[in-house]
Amino acid sequence: MATQAQAAVTCRDVIKNFGSGDSLVRALRGVDLEVFPGELTLLVGPSGCGKTTLLSVVAGILEPTSGQVNVLQHDLTRMSQSKKVRFRRQNIGFVFQQFNLLPALTAAENVSIPLILAGQSRRRAQAAAVELLGRMDMGNRAHALPTQLSGGQQQRVAIARALIHHPRLLVCDEPTSALDAKTGHTIMEVLRSVAVEGERAVIIVTHDSRVFEFGDRIAHMEDGHIIGVESQDGTGRLMAESGAATVGGASQRGLTA
């Protein structure tokens, strides 16, 4: 079980401040969080509560002001910037809200970029990209440009690009916010299968309550804190985890049936 496995991500008392003096912004105020392999963890809460900041700290994009951030048994706070860049390239996949596909490149060419950056030949990288797109029911669109794809198809390409180098951690920022309900549901099914089948840790920042059913664990944020964590009990019911904070009534937000 995931809860018996070693955590893929461990945050302890993570603080992140921006600015100083009168312009000081306390984005994270002592965050504790664990994320396990083989699970899809949702990070939810109101706008401005620190979700994307926490995701960026976990991904090694932002440096915490203080606290410990351990990702895949590596302490990010002790890594040099150059080592952190290599670590991200090898171990972390990113799915962005706006897809960030290069418009002049085909779907397969977009997906192949991480492999090319890692030193693989363009021919081999694109062959691997076409194969992966085929497994995501996008084989017949591998050579289409982004403008020739629907929103859901573009999102699949973005997910494929994030997975092409077999990362052990996948982080996603609002992956369904620009999609209709049906397409968003399909995308979440893809992301869930990515976690379960690959024993990969997946963290998704979302405001979209329609996708809460896909989370193995849901971490609620408010004002820079994790205020409660819920987990599936095997029947689809979300239960507050023992010992987790429930400030603000996370277990009473309509998520427990």
Side-chain angles (χ1 to χ4, degrees), residues 4-254:
Q4 297 174 332
Q6 189 170 22
V9 175
T10 302
C11 296
R12 290 287 180 262
D13 197 25
V14 173
I15 293 172
K16 178 60 180 177
N17 298 330
F18 295 98
S20 60
D22 292 340
S23 62
L24 179 67
V25 175
R26 302 182 187 278
L28 301 178
R29 305 183 180 217
V31 169
D32 292 327
L33 179 67
E34 288 184 324
V35 176
F36 294 93
E39 288 190 350
L40 189 152
T41 298
L42 299 179
L43 196 57
V44 307
S47 296
C49 70
K51 301 186 302 297
T52 297
T53 298
L54 179 57
L55 193 73
S56 298
V57 167
V58 167
I61 297 171
L62 287 178
E63 188 78 23
T65 302
S66 63
Q68 180 185 7
V69 182
N70 190 292
V71 178
L72 304 173
Q73 290 74 62
H74 290 79
D75 186 349
L76 295 190
T77 60
R78 296 180 179 272
M79 278 189 189
S80 67
Q81 193 58 37
S82 60
K83 286 184 178 179
K84 201 177 294 185
V85 169
R86 288 195 296 272
F87 179 79
R88 286 201 306 263
R89 186 180 298 167
Q90 294 169 359
N91 295 286
I92 302 177
F94 301 87
V95 179
F96 302 98
Q97 181 177 349
Q98 300 301 325
F99 312 150
N100 291 344
L101 302 180
L102 297 178
L105 301 184
T106 66
E109 289 168 340
N110 269 284
V111 172
S112 69
I113 289 173
L115 294 182
I116 293 172
L117 291 176
Q120 198 165 123
S121 72
R122 189 176 302 271
R123 182 176 179 179
R124 290 185 61 187
Q126 289 192 23
V130 169
E131 180 184 358
L132 178 55
L133 286 168
R135 295 206 301 269
M136 298 180 70
D137 295 326
M138 284 286 293
N140 64 337
R141 307 299 288 154
H143 302 294
L145 295 172
T147 55
Q148 298 170 319
L149 302 174
S150 69
Q153 290 172 332
Q154 290 183 47
Q155 187 63 291
R156 283 178 183 248
V157 174
I159 294 170
R161 181 182 57 190
L163 295 175
I164 190 69
H165 61 302
H166 304 291
R168 295 166 61 195
L169 172 65
L170 183 66
V171 296
C172 311
D173 191 6
E174 299 282 2
T176 64
S177 65
L179 305 177
D180 61 72
K182 181 178 179 181
T183 304
H185 191 277
T186 300
I187 291 300
M188 289 301 298
E189 287 181 332
V190 171
L191 289 172
R192 177 151 180 76
S193 69
V194 161
V196 174
E197 294 175 7
E199 279 297 302
R200 182 178 286 112
V202 180
I203 308 174
I204 298 178
V205 163
T206 185
H207 287 95
D208 189 353
S209 61
R210 300 172 302 178
V211 305
F212 285 5
E213 64 183 282
F214 292 95
D216 294 295
R217 301 168 80 234
I218 299 181
H220 297 268
M221 285 197 74
E222 191 170 294
D223 195 25
H225 298 279
I226 299 288
I227 61 169
V229 180
E230 295 171 306
S231 58
Q232 297 273 14
D233 67 355
T235 66
R237 181 182 175 89
L238 284 163
M239 303 294 290
E241 292 189 359
S242 176
T246 55
V247 177
S251 63
Q252 299 177 8
R253 295 171 182 266

